[in-house]
Amino acid sequence: MARPIAADHEEKRRDILLTAARVFATSGYDRASMAEVARACGVSKALIYHYYSSKEALLFDILDVHLKRLRDRIRAVEAEEAEARPRLVAMLRVILRDYEGADHKHQLQMSALSTLPEESQAVLKDYQRDMVRRVSAALAALAPPELAASKARMRDVTMSVFGMLNWFHMWQPRATPTERDDYAALVAGLALDGLAGVS
C-alpha cells in the first residue's frame, strides 16, 4: 500500500530546498553532503532521502523550482499586459522582485548547474532561454525596426538589460520592493530612451 503524503509535505520540501541551497552555496556543491543538509535542516538523513533520492536530484529541484517560477511569472506578465512599455517594465520588476533572497540559488545556477546530467541541464537552460526570449521580444516591440530586425544586436541589448538587473542585485541585496521597482523602471528608461528616459 502506498505511503500517504503528509499534510505538511510541501512545506517540508520548501524548507529543505531553501536550506540545501544555502548549504550547497556556502560549503560548495561538490564538498557538501546530504548528511550536512540534514543537520542544517534539523532532520534525519533518512528523511532527506525520503524526499530526494540523491544530492543531484536535490540540486535539480532547487534550480527547477526557482527558474520555472520566474519563467512562469514572466509569462504571466506577457499574457496580462497588452501595452508594450508597461509590459517591459512589469517584466523587469518581476525579475528584480524574484531575485530578492535568492542569492544562494543564483550562486548554484552559476557554479553547479553544469554538474548535472545533460538532460537535466537542458530543462533548466530552456527556462533561461525562454525568459531571455520573452524579455527580448518585449524590447524588440519598442525598438526601431532596423534594430528589432537584428538578432545579434537585440541579443546584445537584452543581455545588457539582464546585466544591469544582476548588478543591481549585487549592489543592493537588501533593496526594498519599492526600490527594486524603481530600478526596473530606470533600466527600462535607459534601454529605451537613454539618459533622457531617466527621471
Side-chain angles (χ1 to χ4, degrees):
M1 184 174 177
R3 183 176 178 177
I5 296 175
D8 60 350
H9 178 89
E10 282 304 310
E11 183 180 346
K12 284 183 178 176
R13 175 172 167 259
R14 284 193 298 270
D15 289 344
I16 290 170
L17 290 178
L18 285 171
T19 304
R22 175 175 54 79
V23 170
F24 288 164
T26 55
S27 297
Y29 174 71
D30 291 338
R31 293 185 299 277
S33 67
M34 293 291 265
E36 187 178 353
V37 171
R39 283 195 300 273
C41 290
V43 300
S44 68
K45 190 165 70 170
L47 181 64
I48 298 293
Y49 278 109
H50 172 69
Y51 286 86
Y52 295 101
S53 60
S54 66
K55 188 170 78 165
E56 186 179 273
L58 178 52
L59 173 63
F60 175 77
D61 205 28
I62 290 168
L63 296 177
D64 183 69
V65 168
H66 173 61
L67 292 172
K68 184 179 180 182
R69 181 183 64 187
L70 179 53
R71 189 279 312 269
D72 289 348
R73 287 176 174 173
I74 290 172
R75 283 184 172 182
V77 168
E78 188 179 54
E80 292 166 6
E81 185 54 71
E83 294 186 34
R85 189 168 187 128
R87 180 167 63 243
L88 174 64
V89 173
M91 283 181 172
L92 303 188
R93 285 176 171 164
V94 160
I95 292 168
L96 276 183
R97 289 282 191 107
D98 200 74
Y99 280 2
E100 186 174 8
D103 291 4
H104 297 135
K105 296 168 189 174
H106 289 161
Q107 189 174 337
L108 291 174
Q109 191 177 331
M110 297 296 294
S111 65
L113 189 153
S114 62
T115 68
L116 291 169
E118 288 188 9
E119 60 270 23
S120 297
Q121 289 188 46
V123 171
L124 301 174
K125 289 177 180 178
D126 188 59
Y127 294 146
Q128 294 172 322
R129 284 191 292 267
D130 190 63
M131 287 185 275
V132 169
R133 279 196 302 267
R134 291 173 191 279
V135 172
S136 187
L139 286 161
L142 294 156
E146 61 275 16
L147 174 58
S150 172
K151 185 176 180 180
R153 294 305 281 170
M154 282 308 306
R155 184 181 188 280
D156 290 343
V157 170
T158 303
M159 298 317 293
S160 295
V161 166
F162 273 102
M164 285 189 277
L165 299 179
N166 290 337
W167 275 110
F168 178 79
H169 174 67
M170 293 175 68
W171 294 327
Q172 303 286 353
R174 296 181 179 83
T176 66
T178 298
E179 289 168 338
R180 291 170 187 273
D181 288 351
D182 288 346
Y183 187 75
L186 184 147
V187 170
L190 277 174
L192 301 175
D193 307 315
L195 292 177
V198 178
S199 58

